[in-house]
Amino acid sequence: MIQSHSVLIQARTAVVGTEGERTYTFSTLKTIMADVQPASLSPTQLAAFGLTDLQANLKTMYYNRDTTIILQMRAVVDGETYEIRGVNRWPTHDEAILTPVQGD
């Protein structure tokens, strides 16, 4: 695996506003090196992750094993922000499914 992308990982924190509304803030957790590629998921795989986004917009990120990277964090790759929507842990590396963040 050629890790040619510098990826900024952002942790999510829930914030409750003065009227009780919940929003989220994101802060930098770490920067990692990863291999980020367009995802080619089947309709069955998309359904398994609960994804409805166009398949062409998804990315797959391959990186060294790291249990601190979890669902609903964000990954910033080449100036584009993605939400981590699925994580697979393999014996030698981890893999994450990334969906583009809209309007942020």
Side-chain angles (χ1 to χ4, degrees):
M1 156 177 59
I2 299 172
Q3 297 176 331
S4 59
H5 292 89
S6 177
V7 180
L8 181 72
I9 303 296
Q10 297 177 331
R12 181 173 99 157
T13 303
V15 177
V16 178
T18 57
E19 296 180 14
E21 75 281 6
R22 177 177 283 204
T23 59
Y24 299 98
T25 61
F26 293 87
S27 58
T28 299
L29 177 65
K30 63 174 77 180
T31 299
I32 64 168
M33 294 302 294
D35 180 15
V36 180
Q37 302 177 10
S40 56
L41 300 175
S42 70
T44 304
Q45 290 170 312
L46 288 170
F49 285 112
L51 301 174
T52 57
D53 195 44
L54 293 175
Q55 188 173 357
N57 293 333
L58 299 175
K59 302 280 186 195
T60 305
M61 178 175 73
Y62 303 94
Y63 53 99
N64 292 334
R65 291 184 53 96
D66 189 335
T67 57
T68 65
I69 298 174
I70 58 174
L71 297 177
Q72 299 180 335
M73 286 184 165
R74 287 188 174 178
V76 181
V77 183
D78 296 333
E80 297 292 327
T81 303
Y82 298 89
E83 182 178 356
I84 298 173
R85 294 290 302 270
V87 175
N88 291 321
R89 309 233 186 259
W90 301 100
T92 59
H93 69 279
D94 290 345
E95 170 186 353
I97 304 300
L98 308 178
T99 61
V101 172
Q102 303 295 324
D104 194 37

